[in-house]
Amino acid sequence: MSDMTYRPLGRCGTKVSAFSLGGWTTFGGSITDEAFTREILHAAYEAGVNFFDIADVYAIGAAETIMGKALADLPRRNLVISSKCYWPMSEDVNDRGLSRKHIFESVEASLKRIGTDYLDILFCHRYDEETPLEETVRAMDDLVRQGKVLYWGTSEWTGAQLRSAHAIADDRHAYGPQVEQPQYNLLVRGKVEDDVQPAAEDLGMGLVVWSPLASGLLTGKYDDAVPDDSRLARIDWLREQLFEGEGRDKVRAMTEIAEGAGCTRTQLALAWAAAQPGISSVILGATSLPQLEENLGAAAVEITDEVRSALNALFPSVAGT
Ligand SMILES: NC(=O)c1ccc[n+]([C@@H]2O[C@H](COP(=O)([O-])OP(=O)(O)OC[C@H]3O[C@@H](n4cnc5c(N)ncnc54)[C@H](OP(=O)(O)O)[C@@H]3O)[C@@H](O)[C@H]2O)c1
């Protein structure tokens, strides 16, 4: 029997699985085999995952295409499918950002590539300093009213930006953002805990969090070296950022806490994220079935007060990170 639980996206009726699956750098990117993609997505679904997170920009549309194909033979009503817009999709001056023009054109292209009539969630993939917030809120509200998008969300917005979006939406009886998608893991906690989570809670928004394993660092796979067939071997800027930092010493020290909790470091990091206040879903990334299986095992791990204290001591929340 699956240990999966389901949680609302803040104050709304739709529920997402506490662990979901995303496609950044993987599907359509490092994994281009359709049958293999299908195998991983279907295994996740069989284990109770109902939320699949995509973005237009992941492999420049290829993630939407390959994940859409893999999801096509599952019942659409049982799935919560998201995509995102903001990052440039071409050199064109308007093929980016959160203007009304780009949002409308982007969602049409995403629906076609995924092969669905509607997105459950459309995320603004960053805050757009060049577009008036009111224009974005109105465009999103129109998409919701058209039924092309059921909820809209944000990614990496500050608490103040979320509050402004809700103030504009309230003034105009428009739909405000329902869910924020920040990075959140044992090594990157400060901004979420000090700013984003309190704002989201006030506004009735859910949080679905990305890179819960810090791109794999928290698994311990990078303790000694960068394995050949790994994300940090493939992506130079991530290797420079993560492999050289002080994170690896802490990850090594985490082994004892995981042993005490009777699980792997990977499962401990994921279960910790899922147990933090305000989290609707922890978005997993996986490049193999054994990885997926290990990660989903986090659903059965309980974070006791003792374990939480030990993790807080090793990975303190640092303001601004
Ligand atoms: N909104 C945003 O700006 C944003 C940004 C990033 C991600 N996201 C979303 O969040 C999702 C998850 O992020 P993420 O992929 O960075 O998550 P992550 O859990 O931090 O990293 C996942 C990667 O770590 C490695 N890994 C995972 N489980 C493992 C295991 N059990 N043992 C060993 N290695 C393991 C795999 O890479 P290798 O096997 O290749 O090493 C896997 O692709 C993305 O797919 C995307 O949907 C959103």
Side-chain angles (χ1 to χ4, degrees):
M1 206 184 78
S2 167
D3 291 300
M4 191 63 75
T5 55
Y6 299 86
R7 302 171 176 185
L9 291 165
R11 277 197 298 270
C12 87
T14 300
K15 294 194 175 81
V16 288
S17 45
F19 295 92
S20 44
L21 184 64
W24 180 51
T25 81
T26 55
F27 307 117
S30 64
I31 298 172
T32 50
D33 187 290
E34 284 181 18
F36 185 48
T37 300
R38 186 177 182 280
E39 212 179 320
I40 294 185
L41 266 59
H42 282 231
Y45 178 77
E46 292 306 323
V49 169
N50 74 350
F51 171 30
F52 294 88
D53 183 63
I54 327 179
D56 57 351
V57 75
Y58 295 169
I60 308 291
E64 291 182 322
T65 304
I66 200 168
M67 288 177 77
K69 272 192 193 151
L71 295 172
D73 46 2
L74 297 173
R76 179 66 184 88
R77 67 180 181 283
N78 294 357
L79 303 173
V80 175
I81 301 178
S82 68
S83 193
K84 313 189 183 79
C85 70
Y86 167 84
W87 293 106
M89 288 296 284
S90 71
E91 294 294 312
D92 187 84
V93 66
N94 282 318
D95 205 8
R96 63 194 64 201
L98 298 178
S99 67
R100 185 175 187 82
K101 178 172 171 63
H102 183 55
I103 289 174
F104 272 61
E105 287 171 351
S106 172
V107 81
E108 289 301 336
S110 290
L111 292 175
K112 258 194 212 111
R113 284 189 294 257
I114 297 171
T116 182
D117 297 331
Y118 65 96
L119 292 174
D120 296 274
I121 310 170
L122 177 63
F123 288 98
C124 297
H125 211 157
R126 288 298 180 265
Y127 188 83
D128 182 359
E129 299 286 353
E130 294 180 11
T131 299
L133 183 53
E134 174 163 0
E135 179 175 338
T136 300
V137 172
R138 281 183 180 276
M140 287 295 184
D141 180 59
D142 286 340
L143 286 177
V144 173
R145 288 176 198 274
Q146 288 173 7
K148 294 203 168 163
V149 165
L150 304 189
Y151 301 98
W152 70 279
T154 54
S155 180
E156 294 294 326
W157 286 28
T158 64
Q161 290 164 346
L162 298 176
R163 289 182 200 280
S164 298
H166 271 269
I168 291 171
D170 288 351
D171 254 15
R172 287 144 185 83
H173 302 289
Y175 287 97
Q178 188 57 48
V179 51
E180 154 66 21
Q181 184 173 144
Q183 179 177 191
Y184 189 55
N185 58 54
L186 282 164
L187 291 159
V188 180
R189 332 175 23 176
K191 276 197 276 190
V192 168
E193 294 177 13
D194 299 344
D195 179 42
V196 176
Q197 191 275 327
E201 189 174 323
D202 283 354
L203 298 166
M205 294 176 67
L207 297 177
V208 297
V209 299
W210 61 267
S211 286
L213 294 173
S215 277
L217 199 76
L218 287 158
T219 64
K221 72 194 285 178
Y222 298 108
D223 277 0
D224 302 315
V226 175
D228 282 346
D229 187 20
S230 66
R231 183 181 290 181
L232 297 201
R234 285 189 295 270
I235 305 180
D236 295 347
W237 64 267
L238 265 179
R239 187 175 58 252
E240 279 154 28
Q241 199 178 80
L242 293 171
F243 192 71
E244 311 305 338
E246 62 168 20
R248 283 192 303 140
D249 292 338
K250 295 183 179 196
V251 175
R252 276 192 213 99
M254 185 185 169
T255 309
E256 208 179 314
I257 309 173
E259 280 170 6
C263 63
T264 65
R265 284 180 278 176
T266 302
Q267 290 167 337
L268 186 63
L270 295 172
W272 170 85
Q276 288 296 100
I279 306 300
S280 301
S281 189
V282 173
I283 312 174
L284 305 174
T287 59
S288 69
L289 285 170
Q291 283 186 7
L292 179 73
E293 199 178 324
E294 178 182 9
N295 299 359
L296 289 171
V301 173
E302 193 199 344
I303 302 294
T304 61
D305 289 346
E306 193 189 346
V307 167
R308 184 175 290 108
S309 304
L311 289 173
N312 281 336
L314 184 59
F315 298 98
S317 183
V318 179
T321 60

